[in-house]
Structure formats: C-alpha cells, structure tokens
Amino acid sequence: MIGFIVAGLIIGALARLIKPGKQNLGIIATLLLGLVGSVIGGTIANLLGTGDIMELNVLGFIVAVIASVLLIGVAESVAGSRHKVTR
C-alpha cells in the first residue's frame, strides 16, 4: 500500500513536470491524480496482457504518466472554470 502511494506521488510529479505551464495543484491533488493515473495505467496494461494492475511494468508506467497528464489538464480546466464563475 505504501508503495502504491509512493508510485502515485512519483507518477503525479512526473506528469506535472511534463505538462507545460504552472499548475495550481497541491501535493494532495498531485498524489490523488497520480494514484488515479496509476490505476488507469495498470488497468490498461492488464487488459493488454502485459501485467497485473498492482504490478509495476513499463507499459503501465508510461500509460499512467500519460493518464495523469490528461487528468491534470482536466483538473486545471475544471478549477479554472469554477474560478471564473466565482469572480
């Protein structure tokens, strides 16, 4: 379980480094988006037959980072649109 949390934090941090621009996300949001991305990556790797969901493999890791980058983009757009409404 601790390994899963650490992997989620690493994946979330990598996704934030890859995504251009400044993200207004805290460490908890980064961790959560990284965890969701790692679950998505593990699920896709499992569906492709390259490993188990809880098993770290190259394809799952790459898909997890890509999914996390996309999730960060979605989170930014949702937060941005919510911020514009309250102004």
Side-chain angles (χ1 to χ4, degrees), residues 22-34:
K22 182 176 178 354
Q23 297 92 26
N24 293 323
L25 299 172
I27 189 99
I28 300 298
T30 301
L31 172 65
L32 292 175
L33 293 173

Side-chain angles (χ1 to χ4, degrees), residues 3 9 14-15 19 21 25 38 40 42 44 50 62:
L9 188 57
L14 281 173
K19 176 116 176 46
L25 299 172
S38 65
I40 292 170
I44 290 173
T50 62
I62 291 170

Side-chain angles (χ1 to χ4, degrees), residues 16 18-19 30-31 42 49 55 57 63 65 73 81 85:
R16 285 187 65 178
I18 292 170
K19 176 116 176 46
T30 301
L31 172 65
E55 179 182 292
N57 60 48
V63 173
V65 172
S81 66
V85 170

Side-chain angles (χ1 to χ4, degrees), residues 19-87:
K19 176 116 176 46
K22 182 176 178 354
Q23 297 92 26
N24 293 323
L25 299 172
I27 189 99
I28 300 298
T30 301
L31 172 65
L32 292 175
L33 293 173
L35 287 173
V36 172
S38 65
V39 169
I40 292 170
T43 302
I44 290 173
N46 187 28
L47 291 173
L48 294 174
T50 62
D52 190 58
I53 290 176
M54 298 301 282
E55 179 182 292
L56 183 62
N57 60 48
V58 175
L59 180 64
F61 185 80
I62 291 170
V63 173
V65 172
I66 292 169
S68 294
V69 168
L70 295 174
L71 288 170
I72 287 172
V74 170
E76 284 181 328
S77 67
V78 168
S81 66
R82 190 177 326 150
H83 191 262
K84 288 178 185 174
V85 170
T86 58
R87 284 186 180 186

